[in-house]
Amino acid sequence: MRYRLTFIAGLAVGYVLGARAGRERYEQLREGGRRIAGNPAVRNARETAAQNGRQMATRAYDTVNERVGHRLPEAMTDRVHSLVNGHGPRGDDWGTGGA
């Protein structure tokens, strides 16, 4: 209960401070976030993380597939293959598709 009250108090304080800052400050923060996201070092780190995630997902899938004895449902197998190969619904469904 204590944590819930602390969380609610934090939300209230954030709302009040945010309302006082106004739309202009929001736009400044938003533009700052875009500049950071557009930084080549950040983009490279994001892509590296995405590649590492795909590799880890592939390894995890292979390990599970080995232990289960290739008895995974076909729908799951197809979905994992499409995501690992970058042919998901948005080209990449590991959270990095085109962003």
Side-chain angles (χ1 to χ4, degrees):
M1 186 69 177
R2 177 178 157 196
Y3 298 111
R4 189 176 300 170
L5 290 175
T6 304
F7 179 72
I8 291 171
L11 283 177
V13 169
Y15 177 78
V16 169
L17 292 176
R20 284 188 182 165
R23 182 73 178 186
E24 183 179 327
R25 180 66 180 145
Y26 168 75
E27 292 297 333
Q28 288 174 347
L29 292 171
R30 189 173 165 192
E31 183 58 33
R34 284 188 182 145
R35 276 192 310 242
I36 290 171
N39 183 323
V42 173
R43 285 197 320 248
N44 289 340
R46 185 179 64 211
E47 287 302 316
T48 300
Q51 288 174 353
N52 288 341
R54 282 188 212 96
Q55 289 172 356
M56 292 177 79
T58 301
R59 266 190 261 145
Y61 170 78
D62 291 341
T63 300
V64 168
N65 204 17
E66 271 181 32
R67 292 186 182 173
V68 174
H70 303 286
R71 292 180 302 224
L72 289 175
E74 186 175 334
M76 183 179 194
T77 303
D78 294 342
R79 178 70 174 153
V80 170
H81 283 301
S82 71
L83 293 174
V84 168
N85 295 327
H87 301 296
R90 288 174 283 150
D92 174 356
D93 204 26
W94 296 112
T96 61

